[in-house]
């Protein structure tokens, strides 16, 4: 495949820069600063050092032996982003962007968060470098991710509740962008997923591609061959594109992204953009979004706060069009079953986001031969989701 995005931020017909005029120059400055850092050996050396000695990379590739036996089919490997410092893949991108913010002379950091893991990661790196930090989070997400809200506070961040709209991730992004427009001079916006205006989808992908780079080398060492299929959950899609990107030229490797099927695939009950969305523009980028025929953004639902978003990253939309990756969805109920199954068979409590990817593997594993290899991106740990799971099961008992 040729290199994407192009110089103006397009992944074929997806991506671009759809922002107010006041953000055009800051985004140009950001793009030029990032491209300079990407080829700067001192920046890259500092990034590698922090990923190794602060984040805890490389993360293990774990063979899920008992889960594989239970499902009576394929071999299942887990790329363990749950074992990073802060407990999810979000720290990879946050470390990269805080170094960029420091190079640009910014003294104030803002971010949005849904499941709270990006907020925690941002608060963590801001504390590490002694920078002011403000996190925007929807009121609904704050209630279902209370432990992460508490963690952000302990790290010194100011968490601002967002009461607009559905009080979830989409609305938190909007508030963060309003803040950025108002405070351009001293503020850096650490966007958490492979979304938004150019250069964010490219930057986040690059910082997260450490996941796939490690996983590719690890599976070759363990099995002496590449996996048959990569599987990752897809909200905005940063952990998935981080896993997929280093495998794009390996045409024999199937890549499957799993969206949130929610309660059902009817309007307002899910967040599966490829199962009912259409091309449109949301919060800076053109991609697949859930919208009405009049172009109004539809409400979304997922038991997982990190997948509850109306748009998907533009590179995922391109990969789907090109046929290089495929996308499906699983329901809340299926994700909960996977949450329990991995916990009980492997002693690993997965995030509800990751549980969607696991649920797909549960569905497919028995249909494969015993030498078939799934490599699953375990994007984070499930501590943050325990209250959501217990509350859901109490209501549906």
């Amino acid at each position: 495949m040729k290199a994407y995005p192009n110089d103006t931020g397009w992944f074929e017909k997806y991506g671009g820069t759809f922002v107010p005029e006041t953000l055009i120059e800051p985004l140009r400055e950001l793009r030029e600063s990032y491209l300079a850092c990407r080829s700067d050996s001192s920046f890259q050396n500092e990034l590698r050092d922090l990923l190794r000695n602060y984040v805890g990379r490389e993360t293990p590739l774990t063979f899920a032996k008992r889960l594989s036996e239970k499902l009576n089919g394929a071999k299942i490997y887990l790329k363990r982003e749950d074992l990073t410092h802060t407990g999810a893949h979000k720290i990879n991108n946050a470390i990269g962007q805080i170094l960029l913010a420091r190079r640009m002379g910014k003294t104030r950091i803002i971010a949005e968060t849904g499941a709270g893991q990006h907020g925690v990661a941002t608060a963590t790196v801001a504390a590490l470098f002694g920078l002011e930090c403000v996190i925007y989070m929807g009121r609904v997400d704050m209630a279902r991710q209370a432990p992460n809200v508490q963690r952000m506070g302990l790290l010194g961040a100011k968490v601002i509740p967002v009461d607009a709209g559905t009080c979830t991730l989409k609305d938190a992004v909007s508030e963060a962008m309003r803040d950025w427009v108002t405070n351009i001079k001293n503020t850096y916006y650490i966007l958490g997923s492979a979304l938004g205006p150019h250069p964010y989808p490219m930057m986040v992908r690059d910082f997260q591609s450490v996941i796939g780079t490690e996983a590719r080398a690890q599976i070759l060492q363990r099995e002496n061959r590449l996996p048959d299929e990569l599987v990752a959950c897809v909200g905005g899609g940063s952990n998935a594109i981080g896993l997929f990107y280093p495998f794009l030229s390996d045409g024999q490797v199937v890549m499957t992204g799993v969206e949130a099927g929610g309660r059902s695939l009817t309007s307002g009950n899910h967040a599966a953009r490829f199962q009912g969305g259409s091309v449109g523009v949301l919060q800076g980028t053109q991609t697949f979004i859930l919208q009405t025929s009049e172009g109004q953004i539809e409400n979304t639902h997922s038991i997982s706060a990190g997948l509850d978003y109306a748009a998907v990253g533009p590179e995922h939309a391109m990969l789907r069009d090109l046929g290089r990756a495929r996308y499906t969805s699983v329901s809340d109920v299926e994700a909960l079953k996977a949450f329990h199954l991995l916990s009980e068979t492997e002693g690993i409590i997965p995030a509800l986001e990751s549980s969607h990817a696991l649920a797909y593997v549960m569905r497919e594993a028995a249909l494969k031969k015993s030498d078939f290899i799934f490599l699953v991106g375990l994007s984070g740990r499930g501590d943050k989701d325990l209250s959501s799971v217990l509350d859901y099961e109490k209501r549906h008992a």
Side-chain angles (χ1 to χ4, degrees):
M1 293 181 65
K2 65 180 181 180
Y4 289 98
N6 67 13
D7 290 342
T8 55
W10 288 90
F11 299 87
E12 296 290 342
K13 66 179 183 180
Y14 305 103
T17 308
F18 296 85
V19 295
E21 186 66 28
T22 50
L23 287 180
I24 295 297
E25 180 58 23
L27 285 167
R28 183 198 62 78
E29 179 190 8
L30 176 61
R31 180 175 65 255
E32 291 183 357
S33 297
Y34 172 64
L35 292 175
C37 286
R38 190 161 65 170
S39 58
D40 183 333
S41 60
S42 66
F43 179 92
Q44 294 299 328
N45 288 338
E46 186 175 15
L47 175 60
R48 279 192 292 270
D49 179 73
L50 284 166
L51 289 174
R52 181 187 308 112
N53 297 311
Y54 187 73
V55 173
R57 306 206 69 91
E58 63 183 28
T59 59
L61 184 70
T62 299
F63 174 50
K65 183 176 184 294
R66 292 194 66 237
L67 178 64
S68 300
E69 291 171 351
K70 179 78 172 179
L71 297 176
N72 195 31
K75 299 176 75 171
I76 302 165
Y77 281 88
L78 308 175
K79 180 56 175 166
R80 300 290 304 282
E81 295 305 290
D82 60 309
L83 293 179
T84 62
H85 178 46
T86 73
H89 71 290
K90 294 294 188 180
I91 191 70
N92 305 320
N93 170 57
I95 284 283
Q97 289 203 51
I98 198 79
L99 293 180
L100 181 56
R102 193 180 60 170
R103 292 286 182 105
M104 296 175 69
K106 304 299 183 180
T107 58
R108 179 174 179 267
I109 302 298
I110 63 171
E112 85 300 327
T113 195
Q117 286 300 134
H118 176 59
V120 169
T122 301
T124 297
V125 298
L128 178 64
F129 288 103
L131 300 180
E132 179 186 355
C133 184
V134 175
I135 308 293
Y136 290 91
M137 190 171 190
R139 183 79 69 175
V140 168
D141 290 338
M142 289 182 71
R144 58 181 172 175
Q145 299 293 327
N148 276 342
V149 176
Q150 294 165 348
R151 292 169 75 192
M152 286 182 265
L154 285 170
L155 290 161
K158 181 180 180 181
V159 183
I160 298 181
V162 176
D163 292 310
T166 58
C167 308
T168 56
L169 181 58
K170 171 179 67 70
D171 312 294
V173 173
S174 294
E175 290 303 315
M177 294 190 79
R178 289 189 187 98
D179 183 316
W180 194 28
V181 168
T182 306
N183 300 287
I184 284 293
K185 188 173 181 179
N186 70 331
T187 296
Y188 185 99
Y189 178 17
I190 298 185
L191 200 154
S193 196
L195 286 161
H198 182 58
Y200 280 109
M202 173 181 68
M203 288 197 311
V204 175
R205 176 201 68 196
D206 290 353
F207 288 134
Q208 293 292 4
S209 66
V210 65
I211 301 170
T213 299
E214 289 179 4
R216 192 178 188 282
Q218 288 168 323
I219 195 67
L220 284 171
Q221 183 178 41
R222 296 284 291 276
E223 293 283 348
N224 201 33
R225 71 178 182 91
L226 294 175
D228 295 287
E229 187 169 353
L230 302 175
V231 185
C233 63
V234 179
S238 63
N239 95 97
I241 203 64
L243 179 63
F244 293 173
Y245 188 64
F247 289 86
L248 286 181
S249 62
D250 301 308
Q252 75 275 31
V253 179
V254 174
M255 302 190 300
T256 301
V258 186
E259 298 184 290
R263 293 180 289 253
S264 72
L265 292 179
T266 56
S267 178
N269 286 300
H270 67 95
R273 289 64 48 98
F274 292 129
Q275 307 298 313
S278 56
V279 178
V281 173
L282 179 63
Q283 294 173 331
T285 194
Q286 180 164 291
T287 185
F288 258 75
I289 60 177
L290 292 170
Q291 59 185 336
T292 67
S293 57
E294 292 78 30
Q296 297 299 307
I297 303 304
E298 292 183 345
N299 290 337
T300 57
H301 163 78
S302 173
I303 193 171
S304 166
L307 303 185
D308 195 358
Y309 186 65
V312 67
E315 191 161 7
H316 286 292
M318 179 195 72
L319 292 175
R320 177 181 180 267
D321 278 8
L322 295 176
R324 183 61 192 93
R326 60 189 188 184
Y327 298 83
T328 186
S329 64
V330 303
S331 68
D332 288 348
V333 171
E334 290 174 299
L336 278 167
K337 289 179 180 177
F339 178 91
H340 284 291
L341 185 61
L342 188 68
S343 300
E344 293 165 7
T345 58
E346 297 293 341
I348 300 170
I349 303 174
L352 281 174
E353 291 81 11
S354 311
S355 298
H356 284 70
L358 292 163
Y360 165 81
V361 172
M362 284 173 56
R363 184 195 297 168
E364 297 292 321
L367 305 176
K368 308 296 184 183
K369 294 181 179 179
S370 60
D371 61 349
F372 189 95
I373 298 174
F374 282 110
L375 197 163
V376 183
L378 198 69
S379 60
R381 65 180 183 229
D383 311 42
K384 67 183 178 62
D385 294 315
L386 294 180
S387 62
S388 294
V389 170
L390 294 173
D391 179 65
Y392 180 95
E393 292 177 342
K394 181 178 179 180
R395 288 185 287 109
H396 294 81

